[in-house]
Amino acid sequence: MEEAPAVTVQPTVRAYAESLGAHGRLWLDSLPALLGRQCREWELGLGNTLPGGSRSYVRRVTTRDGRRAVLKLALPEPILTTQISTLVAARGHGYVQVLAHDLDRGALLLESLGPSAGEAVRDVPTVLALTAGTLRQAWRVPREVCLPPQGESGHKAAGLLALVRDLAEERGDPELQVVVYQALRYARERWEARDPARQVVVHGDPHAANLLRVEGARPGAETGYVFVDPEGFLCEPEYDLGVALRGWNTELLASSHPNSELRSWCEQMAWATGTDAEAIWQWAYLERVSSGLYLGHHGLPDLGAPFLTVAGRLLTSV
């Protein structure tokens, strides 16, 4: 029997998988065998392991005709079905091109891409311009790919409201009370302002590490970058723009006026996409708080802390 290839899982991926219990540990244990089987069936030569992501193992490969590609083995979660449907429907517009996929095994063979915008570009406004331009392409995915949100719990604002409320209660930190209150207020405002007529198939997690440079000019990648790892659900476009602004913690912590700086970024994104700057701000704040609480809940408190610290500074630096 052919020996299974060695697998080194990124710490954040391992932590997330282990937080899922037996289901996640079984996936971790099966990765070497799954990698070997997929490479044999798709006739792939193995390259180096790639960093990034929180729910998958990613590795460079070579196809049988000598093309560079990337093999992604994802945790078998419900989001995987939507991700594959979104990527296939996009046909490379704003998104990585899919060369092959196997939903049952959580396997995706993707075009090879270069570094992320977060690695290749140091200037925040430039990254945001690339993000906005690429999202305009990505939002062209047909709405029929996603089912419409069902009832109050179907909209992203309702889901984030419940998440923030529940995780804040679980954490029980009185110092976060004001930050949590503001996040819940914004969640209610976004829920009340929901507009099915404006909804698009959003990426769902379009941060700079998910925006990668294409290796050659091609249709659908006019900015020179495309997105990977979409969550693919219906929401107002300002949601994606808010997610793109929920990070940048190092820059905002170093700023003497973080509130003004983030507001200017919201205005830039709104102007570039014809959307509403205040809605972008609210989504960005809500996502910042929910991310900080979520990371702490899943055993990554050190990664979550800067999100919550910045959220507090945004309230005190108005």
Side-chain angles (χ1 to χ4, degrees):
M1 178 181 294
E2 185 175 340
E3 185 176 350
V7 169
T8 301
V9 180
Q10 299 295 317
T12 52
V13 176
R14 182 173 294 279
Y16 178 76
E18 290 178 345
S19 75
L20 300 177
H23 167 70
R25 290 191 294 272
L26 178 62
W27 177 77
L28 288 170
D29 292 341
S30 67
L31 267 178
L34 177 59
L35 176 62
R37 183 167 61 244
Q38 209 64 51
C39 286
R40 288 192 298 273
E41 293 188 8
W42 283 348
E43 300 181 62
L44 304 174
L46 281 175
N48 58 298
T49 301
L50 294 172
S54 61
R55 300 177 177 179
S56 59
Y57 175 77
V58 187
R59 193 151 177 173
R60 289 201 181 277
V61 293
T62 305
T63 65
R64 61 183 175 183
D65 59 359
R67 293 178 61 187
R68 286 160 46 87
V70 170
L71 176 63
K72 174 180 176 179
L73 301 175
L75 271 159
E77 298 180 292
I79 191 175
L80 183 61
T81 301
T82 306
Q83 179 179 116
I84 292 176
S85 299
T86 302
L87 290 176
V88 171
R91 300 173 63 184
H93 287 277
Y95 284 111
V96 61
Q97 289 183 319
V98 178
L99 308 178
H101 64 274
D102 186 326
L103 179 59
D104 292 338
R105 294 179 183 171
L108 279 163
L109 185 63
L110 306 168
E111 71 171 312
S112 178
L113 299 172
S116 71
E119 297 171 305
V121 184
R122 298 302 177 188
D123 178 62
V124 176
T126 301
V127 174
L128 298 183
L130 292 170
T131 300
T134 308
L135 281 173
R136 289 175 69 96
Q137 285 278 348
W139 291 334
R140 295 171 56 182
V141 170
R143 287 163 52 99
E144 293 72 23
V145 169
C146 301
L147 294 174
Q150 297 297 311
E152 180 175 343
S153 62
H155 193 270
K156 188 64 176 182
L160 287 175
L161 189 152
L163 179 70
V164 170
R165 181 192 61 215
D166 293 348
L167 293 185
E169 289 178 359
E170 173 189 287
R171 185 163 176 147
D173 185 349
E175 293 186 5
L176 292 177
Q177 184 175 355
V178 176
V179 165
V180 169
Y181 174 83
Q182 186 73 352
L184 294 177
R185 175 190 162 197
Y186 284 157
R188 293 186 184 98
E189 290 191 26
R190 289 299 91 216
W191 160 248
E192 292 169 1
R194 68 197 183 282
D195 183 357
R198 294 188 61 247
Q199 290 175 354
V200 298
V201 179
V202 295
H203 178 285
D205 197 21
H207 55 75
N210 275 340
L211 182 62
L212 276 61
R213 190 167 64 201
V214 293
E215 294 188 336
R218 66 166 178 79
E222 282 73 17
T223 66
Y225 284 80
V226 292
F227 282 108
V228 297
D229 296 347
E231 296 181 5
F233 56 89
L234 290 174
C235 198
E236 292 75 27
E238 288 88 353
Y239 174 75
D240 263 350
L241 301 168
V243 174
L245 291 172
R246 81 176 164 209
W248 310 107
N249 294 318
T250 300
E251 290 78 5
L252 291 172
L253 286 171
S255 174
S256 56
H257 301 287
N259 188 288
S260 297
E261 188 139 31
L262 183 54
R263 287 281 185 185
S264 72
W265 295 344
C266 290
E267 293 285 351
Q268 176 189 345
M269 296 291 256
W271 181 86
T273 56
T275 55
D276 182 70
E278 177 60 24
I280 297 170
W281 170 271
Q282 293 186 2
W283 281 121
Y285 192 90
L286 176 55
E287 272 286 328
R288 185 178 303 282
V289 175
S290 64
S291 295
L293 294 172
Y294 181 85
L295 288 166
H297 173 75
H298 282 285
L300 299 167
D302 292 342
L303 290 178
F307 290 92
L308 299 172
T309 301
V310 171
R313 285 201 64 198
L314 291 172
L315 295 180
T316 59
S317 65
V318 177

